[in-house]
Amino acid sequence: MPGTNPQDRVFLFLQGPHGPFFDSLAQMLESAGSEVWRIGFNTGDRVFWSRRERYIPYHGTPDEWVQTFAEHIDEHSITDIVLYGDTRPIHARAVTEAKRMGVRVHVFEEGYMRPYWVTYERDGSNGNSRLMDMDVVGMRAALDMHDIESPLPPSHWGDMRQHVFYGALYHFFVMFLNRQYRNFAPHRSLPVSQEFKLYMQRLLLMPLHSLERRIATRRICNGGFPYHLALLQLEHDSSFQQHSPFSTMTDFLEEIFEGFANGAPQHHHLVIKAHPLEDGRRPLRKETYRLARKHGLEGRIHYVRGGKLARLLNDARSAVTVNSTAAQQVLWRGIPLKVFGRAVYDKPEFVSSQPLRDFFRGASRPDTRAYRDYRRYLLETSQVPGGFYSSRGRRQLLRLVVDMMLAAEDPYDALKSGTAAPRQQLQVVK
């Protein structure tokens, strides 16, 4: 493994979140004395990278990628690779090869307790995270010498408009200016032109969707009926595709509706809460009401398009999801939760193991004390205040994460050994 002296470190960046975050991170690492390179796979990668002399375009095919990657590791004496999401094909293969070659792997992801946090881990995230093999007892032991006041979970995204804007801009470059990268294959199933269209459509319709969402939420909150929440995810998201038993979100809804129809009391309702970035590539609203008719649940099913979750959680009886990070807000409020996929928060102390119909009939409550200890552990380790997309969020993130990357130990080991940098109380990022 590489040493800890910044002057001895050579970082190779692969694909990052849309926008300028990786470029800003590279600048900070260079300021610390490290050398930085970037492999780009399309024009969107190149546009958001200011160091042209440190940019390596990849024009090869997917089959040639691993060999080319290994050659660059050797040629530039790479000690560390940096990437966003570890399951897209080019990243998954690079992570495997990097580990084989003794190269340190830095993985960024959306925060496990988003939106005001970003996840930084080594070697893997989500279902590949070290958290999957940790228990609450061990986390409590690591926290023995720490005593922080955990901030309340955020109720809305900190940089949604910037997120959508940079996504649209990135796909514009890939769609219209990508002639040099003829072998580029997106990690998602839709063509780039359709991705761009969906981003633009969402950006333009945000005011209308916001109004529609507020009306739907008000009707539910003023309805006077007990209700349960089903938290949907992006069907194309790697966390759903790689770490769940379902192929589509419709498959998940089918199972939820059947369990609700057979288990929930007749006067209870079910609220289907779409992901904040849901862009309409799947007709989820139409599917929701089709399944309501199929299972005899007309009048008891409500569909809410994205947006804030906090108000709906105030009176929710329980929640179900595949492995959405929104479940962290559910657990913080002590609401019963059932999950179906691999999730870093799937611990027996606070996630229900009941069969689905029994869960809807009368869910067991989570151990909120255990969850609060778990949450404190994450805030002291892999959850870094800040964001990828807004300028203020990036500044806040860079204040801490660069030192974490240059440290000898990953965030979890650093806490255990007492070398973790002290954390400040959360400052809201907008």
Side-chain angles (χ1 to χ4, degrees):
M1 274 293 181
T4 59
N5 188 341
Q7 286 75 26
D8 297 331
R9 308 280 285 277
V10 183
F11 289 84
L12 176 62
F13 282 65
L14 301 183
Q15 289 196 298
H18 299 147
F21 170 68
F22 263 18
D23 191 61
S24 301
L25 177 60
Q27 180 179 341
M28 190 73 74
L29 288 168
E30 287 182 334
S31 297
S34 299
E35 186 177 330
V36 175
W37 293 87
R38 172 79 183 267
I39 294 181
F41 300 85
N42 57 56
T43 305
D45 293 339
R46 180 178 61 80
V47 166
F48 290 111
W49 187 258
S50 62
R51 293 150 189 77
R52 295 294 183 253
E53 72 283 359
R54 296 285 175 172
Y55 179 81
I56 306 168
Y58 181 70
H59 299 303
T61 65
D63 290 340
E64 299 167 332
W65 163 237
V66 173
Q67 180 179 343
T68 303
F69 172 75
E71 290 171 354
H72 286 306
I73 295 291
D74 286 334
E75 179 182 353
H76 301 290
S77 301
I78 301 299
T79 61
D80 302 70
I81 65 168
V82 187
L83 50 92
Y84 170 73
D86 63 340
T87 57
R88 61 181 66 179
I90 57 174
H91 286 174
R93 297 171 75 185
V95 167
T96 300
E97 185 67 10
K99 291 178 180 178
R100 186 189 70 81
M101 300 180 72
V103 173
R104 183 176 285 138
V105 179
H106 305 266
V107 181
F108 284 89
E109 255 295 359
E110 303 292 345
Y112 293 146
M113 291 180 293
R114 63 185 70 173
Y116 300 126
W117 292 274
V118 157
T119 297
Y120 166 71
E121 295 179 284
R122 295 188 185 170
D123 294 333
S125 64
N126 291 309
N128 297 324
S129 169
R130 288 185 61 190
L131 289 168
M132 298 300 300
D133 299 320
M134 297 183 190
D135 57 33
V136 175
V137 173
M139 295 177 184
R140 282 171 168 160
L143 286 167
D144 276 350
M145 61 179 66
H146 301 270
D147 186 18
I148 63 168
E149 191 79 23
S150 294
L152 291 172
S155 61
H156 61 279
W157 287 73
D159 47 12
M160 175 62 72
R161 286 183 177 83
Q162 295 95 325
H163 191 162
V164 176
F165 169 76
Y166 281 124
L169 188 60
Y170 178 90
H171 285 93
F172 170 83
F173 289 126
V174 176
M175 185 168 64
F176 293 110
L177 301 170
N178 214 47
R179 291 183 180 179
Q180 296 180 23
Y181 301 87
R182 297 187 184 277
N183 290 319
F184 171 67
H187 64 282
R188 293 173 178 170
S189 58
L190 284 184
V192 174
S193 58
Q194 185 66 16
E195 289 272 5
F196 172 72
K197 179 181 177 181
L198 291 170
Y199 269 104
M200 289 302 300
Q201 178 178 289
R202 174 155 184 81
L203 197 61
L204 294 172
L205 291 178
M206 284 182 85
L208 179 61
H209 290 169
S210 177
L211 176 62
E212 176 188 322
R213 181 170 58 246
R214 288 199 297 270
I215 292 172
T217 301
R218 186 175 298 124
R219 285 175 178 169
I220 294 165
C221 294
N222 295 338
F225 45 76
Y227 63 86
H228 308 257
L229 284 172
L231 305 177
L232 303 190
Q233 295 165 242
L234 297 177
E235 188 175 292
H236 56 271
D237 185 78
S238 61
S239 181
F240 179 82
Q241 289 296 325
Q242 301 295 325
H243 304 301
S244 87
F246 304 107
S247 299
T248 68
M249 198 54 62
T250 301
D251 295 338
F252 169 64
L253 286 171
E254 179 76 58
E255 182 152 343
I256 298 307
F257 277 58
E258 182 178 353
F260 186 79
N262 293 326
Q266 292 282 336
H267 61 292
H268 285 210
H269 290 222
L270 179 63
V271 176
I272 309 301
K273 172 68 168 56
H275 189 278
L277 287 173
E278 181 57 54
D279 53 20
R281 68 184 65 195
R282 292 287 184 271
L284 291 178
R285 179 195 292 273
K286 182 178 178 180
E287 284 295 283
T288 293
Y289 293 115
R290 179 186 68 81
L291 291 171
R293 292 189 298 272
K294 175 181 176 180
H295 292 279
L297 296 171
E298 296 97 325
R300 296 171 61 193
I301 303 298
H302 310 266
Y303 181 89
V304 179
R305 186 194 295 273
K308 299 179 181 181
L309 180 60
R311 191 175 178 192
L312 289 172
L313 283 174
N314 288 340
D315 295 304
R317 298 293 294 272
S318 73
V320 293
T321 187
V322 177
N323 52 13
S324 172
T325 56
Q328 301 274 5
Q329 294 188 46
V330 175
L331 292 170
W332 174 257
R333 287 165 172 78
I335 298 171
L337 173 71
K338 184 168 182 61
V339 302
F340 291 83
R342 286 170 55 82
V344 296
Y345 52 79
D346 186 6
K347 308 297 180 186
E349 290 86 351
F350 38 81
V351 172
S352 175
S353 61
Q354 295 170 277
L356 189 56
R357 64 175 63 187
D358 295 340
F359 178 81
F360 280 127
R361 187 175 293 121
S364 56
R365 296 183 63 85
D367 181 342
T368 54
R369 181 173 297 179
Y371 176 72
R372 287 168 189 257
D373 289 338
Y374 165 86
R375 187 174 185 275
R376 282 182 56 216
Y377 182 80
L378 262 61
L379 290 175
E380 282 287 282
T381 54
S382 61
Q383 302 307 288
V384 190
F388 295 126
Y389 306 105
S390 70
S391 58
R392 184 177 176 186
R394 291 192 298 274
R395 290 196 301 269
Q396 188 171 15
L397 178 55
L398 290 169
R399 290 189 181 104
L400 188 59
V401 79
V402 175
D403 288 339
M404 295 173 69
M405 294 175 68
L406 293 172
E409 298 175 301
D410 79 353
Y412 305 119
D413 289 334
L415 180 68
K416 186 176 181 180
S417 65
T419 62
R423 303 296 183 97
Q424 295 180 340
Q425 284 290 339
L426 176 70
Q427 299 176 9
V428 173
V429 180
K430 293 182 180 178

